[in-house]
């Protein structure tokens, strides 16, 4: 499962990019939300046949469990509370979840993590492919057909934003 970026991690987070930040979780409440979201995904969603099959249709062709088991994926914290952003994936290994998404609770955080993991598996940022994974990964109630990530080229390769 993905690693959580905390202060004691030996993780080299990306620098701030296009307003996004990859900070460690230092607030216990926010850390608890992301931990509960990871538990939901690990216990209830991982291994679900529709979710596994849907992830295999993404450009990199890996199952959800394949992506979930990657050792180099890290989940960081972004303090943005504007309501305009939920999460971001950078270079298929750096994920950051906003304070806004975390404040909506463990289920929205789980949905955001799954969306970002779809980008890790190659989902582009110019259509609803990443968001549509929620329909097959037991999070249909959190699916928003208006969410289209976007990819912006930068010095750090591609950034998939939501």
């Amino acid at each position: 499962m993905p690693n959580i970026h905390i202060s004691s991690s030996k993780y080299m987070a990306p620098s701030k990019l296009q307003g996004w930040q990859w900070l460690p979780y230092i607030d216990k409440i926010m850390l608890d939300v992301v931990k509960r979201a990871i538990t939901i995904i690990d216990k209830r969603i991982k291994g679900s046949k529709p979710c596994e099959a849907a992830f295999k249709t993404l450009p990199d062709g890996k199952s959800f469990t394949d992506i979930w088991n990657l050792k180099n994926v890290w989940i960081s914290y972004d303090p943005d509370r504007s309501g305009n952003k939920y999460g971001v994936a950078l270079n298929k290994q750096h994920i950051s979840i906003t304070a806004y998404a975390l404040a909506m609770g463990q289920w929205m955080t789980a949905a955001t993590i799954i969306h970002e993991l779809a980008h890790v598996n190659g989902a582009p940022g110019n259509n609803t492919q990443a968001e549509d994974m929620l329909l097959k990964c037991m999070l249909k109630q959190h699916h928003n057909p208006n969410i289209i990530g976007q990819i912006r080229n930068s010095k750090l390769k591609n950034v998939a934003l939501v």
Side-chain angles (χ1 to χ4, degrees), residues 27 30 77-85 98-103:
D27 180 281
M30 297 293 185
Y77 173 73
D78 185 301
D80 187 283
R81 293 178 181 268
S82 69
N84 298 323
K85 303 187 296 187
T98 66
Y100 177 75
L102 290 158

Side-chain angles (χ1 to χ4, degrees), residues 135-160:
L135 297 170
K136 300 293 185 179
C137 293
M138 303 170 65
L139 291 164
K140 183 178 182 179
Q141 66 277 21
H142 295 288
H143 177 264
N144 181 340
N146 298 314
I147 292 180
I148 298 175
Q150 51 184 239
I151 295 177
R152 296 182 182 154
N153 288 323
S154 74
K155 289 184 258 180
L156 296 175
K157 298 186 184 172
N158 290 326
V159 182

Side-chain angles (χ1 to χ4, degrees), residues 7-112:
S7 296
S8 62
S9 301
K10 294 183 183 194
Y11 168 59
M12 294 297 294
S15 299
K16 186 174 182 176
L17 177 66
Q18 298 173 357
W20 290 94
Q21 296 182 65
W22 288 264
L23 303 174
Y25 285 88
I26 56 173
D27 180 281
K28 183 184 179 330
I29 293 170
M30 297 293 185
L31 178 60
D32 286 345
V33 171
V34 80
K35 283 181 177 179
R36 287 193 313 270
I38 286 173
T39 298
I40 288 168
I41 295 168
D42 198 50
K43 303 287 185 201
R44 297 184 183 197
I45 297 170
K46 182 184 76 178
S48 157
K49 288 184 182 184
C51 186
E52 297 291 334
F55 260 73
K56 284 183 181 180
T57 69
L58 294 171
D60 288 357
K62 295 182 176 142
S63 71
F64 180 78
T65 297
D66 291 338
I67 297 298
W68 188 248
N69 289 336
L70 292 173
K71 303 291 185 214
N72 65 334
V73 175
W74 286 83
I75 300 174
S76 297
Y77 173 73
D78 185 301
D80 187 283
R81 293 178 181 268
S82 69
N84 298 323
K85 303 187 296 187
Y86 291 83
V88 63
L90 174 66
N91 297 341
K92 297 186 175 192
Q93 74 180 71
H94 310 286
I95 293 172
S96 197
I97 309 296
T98 66
Y100 177 75
L102 290 158
M104 287 192 282
Q106 62 195 14
W107 289 97
M108 182 55 77
T109 302
T112 304

